[in-house]
Amino acid sequence: MKIYIEDEKISDKLIENKISALAENLQENNLTNGKLIICKAANPLGTYIQWMACEKVNIIPLFAPYDFPIENSSILNYLPFESIIYTSSMLESSLKQLQVSNSALFDSNIPIGSVIHMSSATTGNPKLILRTKQQMDNELLRYCTRLALSEQDVILPMVPFYHSFGFISVMLAGIKVNDTIVLPNIILPRNILHLCNQYGVTILYGVPYLFDKMLKLNNSYNFNKNIRYIISTGERMIEGLQAKFYKKFNIWPIQQYGSSETGSLALSEFGDEYNIIGLPLSGVEFYIDSEGSSKNNILVSTKDTIGSYVVNGNLLNLDNERFKIGDIGEIRADRKLIIYGRSDDIIIKGGEKISITAVTKVIKLLPEIDEVLIYQSNNALQEVICNYSSNQVISNDKLINHCKQYLSNYQIPSQFIRVEKIENCRHHSWKKND
């Protein structure tokens, strides 16, 4: 795999030196042979270096966002993580030792080559998913086959590698087919389009918000003819975005659908509307739960790729025959999947999952606040907004600084609005005595 950062080709020797240095540091600290470690990187290349070093010494990484306050998380109480790897934007790696809790008795036999990802990095108790090397290899086979990925492809990802999608569909896929990856320093529409044309990018990955921003470019900007796919991930596109993008750039963005638990499951096609996720990948079958009170829940069968939850120090195998994916929808006669929305309390913004429950509980910790309602705006920004009731005005700075103690930046509401009374107290709103 060849890697560029903007106009700079990153030499294989430099990357290998960084990988070797980190692997030696891990060995010197007796971090080898099945031990668990937390990985945080300031950029995608840092994640790649961490993964390759972990592979060298046979340890199991958990990838977390760089700004996620994992030291405050309860996972340290039941998983024996001894250190955190920090890899800076300068690709320098350092280790921070952790105090292993006496209750951390995780002794499951995890296969070497496995990885743990965080989904909905919620306060104190993030959801952890373990995927084995075999499961990831199976996903890569069906995914690379569907897109016909090869060493001729040039990929530009506007998605993080610590997340399961970017980790597998971009980074591991790049390793598998030996393609070229171009990493942007600045994610701005004009810069992205310039890099696509400069490097002959064939596949561009991003989230709907970024593609919406690209529509603001003037008509002198256009993609080169090398582009094969523009792939949107993380959340549904808003209605009309794909058609507008096609009208402006003469290429139709397709949507990728899946989850951290299951891997990539489906890809839409040219002309599919915003709520059509598309046909399942090979080996994937969708079902609709049409019975009881949970009608229209989407279930998926994906025996070869579904992972396990890590819960209270134990591995919980998931139902690979009928796993509830967390969305509601239907299956058309042509087998294409239609998504109508979420069946849980998750908000998806910029490709990141945000737990309404988790954010609400954090804000509830402030004694001045009586009631809280977290919701998402309907505009293109899809901002996370917090309405709260209180007998006093609370400054935005205080609210934000409080949230930063427990939440990643992307989980913190964009707006805090003081109201006299919370009118819409549904399952994601609490009163003080709850």
Side-chain angles (χ1 to χ4, degrees):
M1 183 171 67
K2 300 170 283 297
I3 300 176
Y4 291 83
I5 298 181
E6 295 279 326
D7 295 327
E8 179 184 2
K9 169 71 168 68
I10 307 301
S11 72
D12 294 342
K13 183 176 181 180
L14 172 63
I15 295 175
E16 186 55 44
N17 286 343
K18 298 294 184 184
I19 294 170
S20 297
L22 177 54
E24 289 173 10
N25 195 1
L26 293 169
Q27 287 178 315
E28 289 169 359
N29 286 274
N30 196 31
L31 295 167
T32 58
N33 300 325
K35 290 190 174 181
L36 302 182
I37 196 162
I38 295 167
C39 294
K40 290 186 170 188
N43 57 37
L45 185 52
T47 301
Y48 172 74
I49 289 168
Q50 291 172 344
W51 168 245
M52 297 301 287
C54 289
E55 276 207 314
K56 274 182 174 284
V57 296
N58 293 328
I59 59 177
I60 312 300
L62 181 155
F63 287 100
Y66 199 70
D67 64 346
F68 180 73
I70 203 162
E71 292 85 347
N72 296 334
S73 170
S74 63
I75 68 170
L76 300 184
N77 295 331
Y78 59 80
L79 288 175
F81 289 106
E82 298 184 23
S83 295
I84 300 178
I85 304 174
Y86 291 97
T87 302
S88 70
S89 57
M90 302 302 292
L91 303 182
E92 298 300 326
S93 297
S94 61
L95 294 180
K96 176 184 177 181
Q97 290 189 330
L98 297 170
Q99 185 67 42
V100 180
S101 170
N102 291 332
S103 62
L105 301 175
F106 189 72
D107 58 0
S108 298
N109 185 22
I110 300 178
I112 297 299
S114 299
V115 64
I116 302 173
H117 281 119
M118 301 175 69
S119 179
S120 303
T122 56
T123 175
N125 188 28
K127 186 184 294 184
L128 304 182
I129 297 99
L130 183 138
R131 306 278 304 284
T132 66
K133 182 179 187 301
Q134 185 62 56
Q135 289 164 349
M136 291 187 290
D137 284 347
N138 290 335
E139 179 183 351
L140 285 170
L141 177 60
R142 73 187 186 195
Y143 185 76
C144 293
T145 300
R146 177 71 165 264
L147 291 180
L149 293 180
S150 75
E151 63 181 354
Q152 304 302 317
D153 278 306
V154 180
I155 316 297
L156 195 157
M158 297 184 286
V159 292
F161 284 179
Y162 64 75
H163 189 273
S164 60
F165 166 71
F167 184 85
I168 297 174
S169 295
V170 182
M171 190 183 84
L172 293 191
I175 295 171
K176 178 179 176 64
V177 304
N178 194 32
D179 61 22
T180 298
I181 292 182
V182 179
L183 299 174
N185 274 327
I186 303 174
I187 299 182
L188 291 174
R190 183 167 54 184
N191 186 50
I192 294 302
L193 201 145
H194 167 73
L195 290 173
C196 286
N197 293 340
Q198 178 182 352
Y199 287 100
V201 167
T202 60
I203 302 177
L204 174 64
Y205 287 95
V207 295
Y209 172 77
L210 295 172
F211 295 131
D212 182 70
K213 287 294 183 183
M214 296 187 80
L215 296 177
K216 308 299 190 295
L217 291 171
N218 67 49
N219 292 332
S220 65
Y221 291 93
N222 214 327
F223 286 96
N224 63 59
K225 295 182 180 180
N226 297 75
I227 285 280
R228 296 202 297 124
Y229 295 107
I230 290 182
I231 298 178
S232 177
T233 184
E235 60 192 302
R236 276 190 310 169
M237 288 191 169
I238 60 174
E239 187 172 4
L241 175 55
Q242 288 157 292
K244 291 177 183 177
F245 201 93
Y246 179 75
K247 183 177 180 181
K248 184 174 183 64
F249 296 114
N250 199 35
I251 184 166
W252 189 277
I254 65 172
Q255 303 193 69
Q256 180 159 338
Y257 180 70
S259 70
S260 298
E261 293 91 339
T262 62
S264 297
L265 299 172
L267 287 161
S268 68
E269 299 175 305
F270 173 80
D272 283 342
E273 297 180 9
Y274 76 104
N275 60 345
I276 298 177
I277 302 304
L279 289 168
L281 299 179
S282 175
V284 175
E285 291 292 338
F286 291 116
Y287 306 90
I288 300 298
D289 180 4
S290 58
E291 299 180 1
S293 60
S294 57
K295 291 183 178 180
N296 296 324
N297 277 291
I298 296 171
L299 310 176
V300 61
S301 171
T302 172
K303 298 179 183 179
D304 295 331
T305 68
I306 195 166
S308 305
Y309 284 137
V310 184
V311 181
N312 295 327
N314 298 302
L315 285 182
L316 174 64
N317 292 328
L318 304 180
D319 185 353
N320 58 24
E321 294 281 358
R322 297 288 175 101
F323 177 72
K324 184 179 177 182
I325 202 73
D327 293 312
I328 57 175
E330 66 176 270
I331 302 170
R332 300 197 324 180
D334 60 4
R335 296 179 62 235
K336 288 186 177 181
L337 182 66
I338 300 177
I339 301 292
Y340 294 130
R342 297 289 299 180
S343 61
D344 52 24
D345 78 335
I346 296 296
I347 286 175
I348 301 179
K349 179 178 181 290
E352 301 283 7
K353 290 183 178 180
I354 301 169
S355 168
I356 293 173
T357 303
V359 176
T360 303
K361 286 183 176 179
V362 165
I363 297 171
K364 268 187 63 181
L365 293 174
L366 286 169
E368 306 97 313
I369 288 180
D370 297 318
E371 299 179 41
V372 174
L373 176 66
I374 303 295
Y375 59 98
Q376 192 169 24
S377 67
N378 292 323
N379 57 24
L381 294 177
Q382 295 185 295
E383 296 176 298
V384 178
I385 300 172
C386 170
N387 286 0
Y388 68 91
S389 62
S390 175
N391 59 10
Q392 60 183 282
V393 176
I394 307 173
S395 71
N396 272 10
D397 286 345
K398 180 175 181 178
L399 289 162
I400 291 170
N401 289 333
H402 168 74
C403 289
K404 283 182 176 179
Q405 297 179 60
Y406 305 96
L407 303 172
S408 295
N409 288 339
Y410 68 85
Q411 295 173 291
I412 300 173
S414 304
Q415 295 184 49
F416 293 90
I417 302 171
R418 180 172 172 251
V419 296
E420 289 187 6
K421 184 179 180 181
I422 299 295
E423 299 290 346
N424 190 16
C425 292
R426 295 174 294 188
H427 68 282
H428 53 274
S429 174
W430 282 262
K431 293 184 179 180
K432 199 67 181 178
N433 295 327
D434 286 354

